[in-house]
Amino acid sequence: MRLRCFATVQLVFFACGLPAFAAGSLVLEANMQVLHAKLPGTANRFDHSNVPGQVFLPGEPVDIVLLLSKQADHGTTDLALEIQEITTRDPERKIEGDKGFSDTAGHAPLIALQGRPRLHPFQATFGDKPQATVEVSNLPLPERFGTYALVLIRNGKRQFLTTVCRVPKPREHGTIMNTPIFGEGQFIDRPDRNAERAKTYARMGVRGWRSELSWSENEQGQYDWSRYDALFAAAEKAGCKIMVTLGAHPDWTRPFKVPTPAVGWTPKTGGYSATGDWLADPKLYARYGRWITAFCQRYWKDGKGGLWGIENYNEPWEGGGISGWARDMIQYRALQKLIATSTRKVSPDIKLLAACSIMNTEDKFYSDGSKEFDAYVDIFTDHYVAPSMCYGPLVARAHGKQSMETETWFVNSEYLLPQAAAQFMAAGQARLAPWHPSSLYDALPGIDDPYVAPTPVVAATAAFNALVTGKAFEKIVFRQHLPWVFQFGKDDDNEALLVVFGQLLTVAGENPRDRPWAQVDSAAGGTMTIDNADGLLKFFDLAGNPAYVGQASVRLPMNIFPSYITCEKGPLVAAERIRTAQIDGKRPVEILPHDFSKQLAAGVPLTVELHNCLNRAIAGVLAVKTPPGLTLKNAAQRVQLKAGETAPVAFEIAAATISAANAYPCAFDFRSDAGAASYAQTMNVLVVKKGTRIIDGNLDDWKDVPGVTVVAGKQEAEVAEMMRRPWLDLKAQKPNGNYAEFKLAWDEKFLYIAARVNDPSPQISGLAPMATRDENKYFHTSASDRRSPYKEFLKAYPGKSFSEVPYVYCNNPEKPADPSLPAIPFRRDRLQIGLDVTPGWHDLKPDTDRVTAGFHAVPDTDYEYALYATTDGKSELWRMLAPGVPRMHDWPRQPRGRKTTGPVAGAKHVVKREGNVYIYEAAIPREELGDLKLEAGTTVGIVLRAGNNDGPNVDFGADKAVTKTNGLSLHPYWERKPSAGARWTLVD
């Protein structure tokens, strides 16, 4: 099973789209304690209000209906409702434990109280019945936008009833195309409530959502539109549109009339989505196409219906993923064409979407280097692809398409919503679904509806949509320094919105390397003071209320909390005002040491780049503390930096004793008029030494080459200390750990790479070479009829054979059950090598004119190889990327063009295993490496991974300040790894 790209997310979903976790983020005991109230019950409870979803627009009267138990009261009784605004704006206020936790968003936020409560007395008349229906009309809900808890006060006791919210009026010109926040169809899941739910979305400014639907036809050819009529009618009446994800097909269309057993299937799992193929026999595709056309005719209505677009499957991740795409990609391509041609018989304006989720865009459509599928896709969709991993929008832009996020789902509080919207849209997504509906609403006792009480996320969504609808993301205004200012709307738009942060949040994780400026942006603290004596800037809070009104000087915290700012003179004027803001108490610089490019000796420089992340010039002193045996001529230097400037500072070595471990732990300290910063890093000599090497698995002829020892980050031992040890010392101290030593050399004909890797875990089965693999063996044949568990399945289907489904996986390419089949290169024990040979050359155009460099995943290697052992004591060096080679993951039956992945011609290589230790040795021929100049002085960006199929990987570069998380540096593209920012130098 493949995990989603948020490191903390390990959700499993069923093909029907229902969540596998319980709702609950607001109506929790911890929140009731904040309100000093009891949890809601059935005796005294909220029943309904006069508007859908309890979402009230400006000026709307608030009428609610309560059901109250008689208790000891008779006749008319005095009661009261307390109206208290609540917020979820403090990242430190979380509900710990197993209550209020969802896999998508983590711990639920603990509410805080905003302002003073308002008390509203009312009366209830009790008769002979045990319960009275009480209408409370014109409840004095404040006009201030926000979320309000209603607490019943009765006989001196306090009981929470529900929440209601007041939100800004949605933009009248809002459409599904120009609205930033996109909805999730699981909210519109019941025909009896579809209309109300759709209207609730509309009140939040949401103009469209994704619904997972299926082929609704019986074997006799009759179409059943009953469920879909109610769904699309609700969308039409609410002024909304639906993106349809077409997935599972009816039982009668499947070859076995049930989901076809695929990878991982057992009698116990049955038809669970990730182990079964849910689609029709390809012989029925033409019939499916006719149904798609009829579906579009019924719900498109010349653009006036509820249909907006159709997506091909949900997460069609090859080999069996969370939603279970179990067929080869030839079938996915066939279905994409079918959907496109069938849809366009009705209208060319119906959007065609394909679920890419990082790898599917190029793997399924562009692996052959052609642009054939440009005609069949308008929009690519991502799921949970954090900015550091996100490159789908770059691919989309290169093909003239859009990209959007339809399952982001990490937002469960107000402050997270603008972080999600700003970051994901800056990464190139046109719109996103940032929350699961369970984070929007909570259930209440006595009401058959999981979505009754709105959380503050509802108000935050409505506010963001009201402010941003019609204004696409334009740019990050300051791309070299703080604060983070995300501009929505053009420079000449006086209604453009600036979303301002002092600090970015690491999306779904705590690794600061996921952020562009890891050292500065992971350090909270500080303030930003903006001059606004003329009132030119207008500030708004997370619910859309005016903030800091009348304040001549506005002081904002430099943290992940956002500020919304508009300016009647336009964003350029507002940006200039923010540019001159006074930032105090924030870490001022990033300290970026560069490893040594020469063997250490007197006169060799230690170069450190300083990046001033502040919006003003600073002056200070950078001091370096070196280890014993390494002396600098001058250990401290004065530095002056302009706003946002990055400048090198060189420290000349006076004397050096060579470290046997090639490890020089250094500490850096910067003191300035703007504050202090420190950083520590173990420095290495990163040189590629000249000299021909014999590729035989004996590394004796590498003794003169300085190596770099790296310990896997998940080891129990303190990593920095372990990295200072020579290989033999490390092996004696930690024989069962994962660590590696990497070395490089060169001559006029080859680039040489060697590694010793301590890997105590067993090798994966399936060590056959990729070059001679039989791709058909990953899919069902008649051989499956005789193999468990498939032969047991066939007992219920006499006369049937798995030879009827030769397009369904029976072996996972990442870990085949058949030991004669090779595991895909990035799923073996292997050495992965990524080279940035030609700086500036990459297959996807960068967008550093609109976002900060490194804000999202970028291509930073132009060559990538995997070296691994194969059968009979042999090895294989597999080219995974080179200029002109389409990005792909080598799935079986992947369409290929003239230039493609494959074994490297003319390469020499060997892989040996001695106990727990792998020896990798390879010589890559000069002809393979294009523009690489094999001569002294050449520098190469390099990222290396000693890949472990059953344990932590050992990644060179993970501890370097000059690297960050980058999804595109090495395969697979859905896993985090360091970028190729560390550069090695060829020396004589």
Side-chain angles (χ1 to χ4, degrees), residues 513 595 679 681-684 686 956-963 982:
R513 290 182 177 276
D595 287 292
Y679 184 74
Q681 179 174 304
T682 297
M683 310 294 290
N684 306 112
L686 299 185
F956 165 76
D959 63 322
K960 305 294 184 184
V962 294
T963 68

Side-chain angles (χ1 to χ4, degrees), residues 672-723:
S672 76
D673 53 357
S678 61
Y679 184 74
Q681 179 174 304
T682 297
M683 310 294 290
N684 306 112
V685 175
L686 299 185
V687 295
V688 186
K689 193 167 183 179
K690 187 175 183 180
T692 300
R693 311 293 152 170
I694 301 171
I695 308 301
D696 58 1
N698 184 338
L699 301 187
D700 287 347
D701 58 341
W702 288 82
K703 288 181 179 179
D704 64 327
V705 179
V708 179
T709 300
V710 182
V711 179
K714 295 182 180 180
Q715 297 303 298
E716 295 178 3
E718 204 280 315
V719 172
E721 176 61 30
M722 300 292 281
M723 287 174 58

